[in-house]
């Protein structure tokens, strides 16, 4: 079966107006190389760049997402600094990252994440829901317990439709460190999560991604795990050359 493989570029607090060049190069590459059919490319630049990038790249080959959303469930109002779900949808974004460990550290607790997910669903933004354990939790053998708690505390089984939700497993000890879990470790995590999601949410084929120090090299090993339907990529997504090479190497 040819399933869609996701390559999501999380630019974090990086990029400027010139960075459109990187996205344009990716766009030109895929326009020329139509063999890469079963992939979905999503760029999540900082919000100040999103509208103008979207205006320049109007193509089904490239989709866009935001890195955050207000938890306040109204379209407009006296909330300084907030961007409503409707405003984000108006930028041209179709996706939103929620629950990233870097955001959890700053201001996202379980309740906030749940509220943000509701706002995203109401505004028809698809959710890239990040989960991940830290190193000390991993060393204590608590990884699966932590991941399951993150899922249960934020995903309401009466509201979530897994067609609109992607789960990105991002071990915190792997993000930006160059350390990637072994395939054995990943088989265990994804196998257990798939079973857990079936039990709790009755979902058969959840879209589950991997994130954390993905490179042009390790993607060749990571692709062996069939339960992984793609990648959330930070550092290596900032330059078109490495981003394209990751995708090429995945399909090689
Ligand atoms: C991320 O933070 O989502 C991420 C995967 O970062 P990096 O690829 O740089 O580890």
């Amino acid at each position: 079966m040819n399933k869609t493989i996701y390559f999501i570029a999380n630019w974090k607090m990086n990029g400027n107006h010139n960075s459109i060049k990187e996205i344009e190069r990716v766009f030109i590459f895929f326009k020329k190389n139509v063999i890469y059919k079963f992939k979905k490319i999503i760029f999540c630049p900082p919000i100040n760049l999103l509208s103008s990038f979207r205006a320049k790249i109007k193509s089904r080959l490239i989709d866009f997402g935001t890195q955050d959303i207000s938890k306040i469930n109204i379209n407009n109002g006296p909330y300084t600094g907030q961007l409503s779900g409707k405003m984000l949808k108006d930028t041209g974004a179709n996706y939103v990252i929620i629950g990233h460990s870097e955001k959890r550290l700053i201001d996202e607790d379980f309740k906030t994440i749940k509220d943000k997910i509701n706002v995203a669903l109401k505004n028809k933004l698809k959710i890239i829901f990040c989960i991940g354990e830290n190193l000390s939790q991993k060393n204590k053998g608590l990884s699966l317990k932590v991941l399951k708690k993150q899922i249960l505390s934020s995903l309401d089984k009466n509201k979530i439709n897994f067609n609109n939700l992607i789960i990105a497993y991002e071990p915190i000890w792997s993000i930006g460190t160059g350390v990637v879990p072994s395939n054995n470790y990943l088989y265990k995590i994804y196998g257990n999560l798939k079973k857990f999601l079936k039990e709790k949410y009755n979902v058969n084929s959840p879209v589950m991604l991997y994130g954390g120090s993905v490179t042009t090299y390790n993607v060749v090993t990571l692709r062996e795990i069939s339960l992984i339907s793609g990648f959330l990529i930070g550092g290596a997504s900032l330059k078109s050359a490495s981003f394209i090479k990751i995708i090429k190497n995945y399909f090689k």
Side-chain angles (χ1 to χ4, degrees):
M1 192 185 74
N2 286 313
K3 67 171 179 178
T4 301
I5 304 296
Y6 289 78
F7 298 89
I8 306 180
N10 176 13
W11 277 12
K12 311 190 185 191
M13 201 169 68
N14 295 295
N16 56 41
H17 286 280
N18 283 330
S19 313
I20 184 71
K21 284 190 218 125
E22 304 301 330
I23 305 182
E24 275 165 352
R25 285 187 196 120
V26 174
F27 169 64
I28 290 164
F29 176 82
F30 286 110
K31 227 174 125 182
K32 281 192 192 151
N33 295 274
V34 288
I35 49 157
Y36 298 100
K37 281 196 190 110
F38 302 103
K39 50 103 188 57
K40 174 95 188 152
I41 311 290
I42 305 164
F43 276 92
C44 302
I47 193 68
N48 61 316
L49 304 173
L50 210 160
S51 294
S52 68
F53 285 5
R54 189 42 166 169
K56 284 184 186 138
I57 308 229
K58 281 203 184 103
S59 162
R60 292 177 66 180
L61 288 174
I62 308 263
D63 219 323
F64 284 88
T66 83
Q67 298 173 22
D68 196 13
I69 187 167
S70 174
K71 67 176 178 181
I72 298 161
N73 199 0
I74 58 171
N75 295 341
N76 311 96
Y79 296 99
T80 304
Q82 296 295 301
L83 289 168
S84 70
K86 180 171 187 319
M87 288 169 166
L88 296 174
K89 189 74 189 170
D90 287 346
T91 63
N94 286 316
Y95 291 81
V96 55
I97 298 174
I98 300 178
H100 194 285
S101 57
E102 288 158 7
K103 282 288 290 164
R104 287 181 194 257
L105 271 183
I106 299 171
D107 59 4
E108 275 186 352
D109 57 16
F110 291 145
K111 166 84 171 69
T112 304
I113 291 172
K114 199 171 190 173
D115 290 347
K116 288 183 175 186
I117 286 176
N118 284 336
V119 176
L121 290 174
K122 185 182 144 200
N123 288 283
K124 301 200 167 21
L125 286 157
K126 294 192 183 197
I127 296 151
I128 302 158
F129 174 55
C130 301
I131 55 173
E133 79 285 6
N134 65 30
L135 188 58
S136 121
Q137 290 162 336
K138 176 194 173 250
N139 290 343
K140 287 182 196 146
L142 295 173
S143 301
L144 279 163
K145 195 172 168 207
V146 169
L147 300 175
K148 289 175 183 176
K149 183 164 182 208
Q150 289 173 343
I151 292 172
L152 282 182
S153 61
S154 299
L155 302 188
D156 184 336
K157 86 163 175 264
N158 299 314
K159 291 189 179 159
I160 288 297
N161 171 352
F162 277 81
N163 291 325
N164 298 324
L165 185 113
I166 293 168
I167 295 187
Y169 168 54
E170 299 207 303
I172 298 172
W173 47 276
S174 180
I175 294 178
T177 58
V179 182
V180 170
S182 68
N183 275 15
N184 273 348
Y185 187 80
L186 291 173
Y187 278 124
K188 188 175 141 215
I189 297 284
Y190 286 93
N192 270 280
L193 285 183
K194 186 172 158 57
K195 213 167 124 227
F196 175 76
L197 290 166
K198 171 71 188 160
E199 259 167 44
K200 298 288 176 190
Y201 298 89
N202 198 24
V203 54
N204 289 317
S205 313
V207 176
M208 296 190 286
L209 312 187
Y210 169 77
S213 294
V214 174
T215 64
T216 57
Y217 303 105
N218 59 29
V219 72
V220 180
T221 313
L222 291 165
R223 74 177 172 185
E224 287 167 17
I225 300 162
S226 62
L227 284 175
I228 297 182
S229 303
F231 305 95
L232 182 53
I233 308 165
S237 73
L238 292 170
K239 291 284 169 214
S240 55
S242 47
F243 192 59
I244 291 170
K245 194 145 189 230
I246 286 174
I247 301 168
K248 277 167 85 174
N249 284 355
Y250 181 90
F251 288 108
K252 206 151 73 181

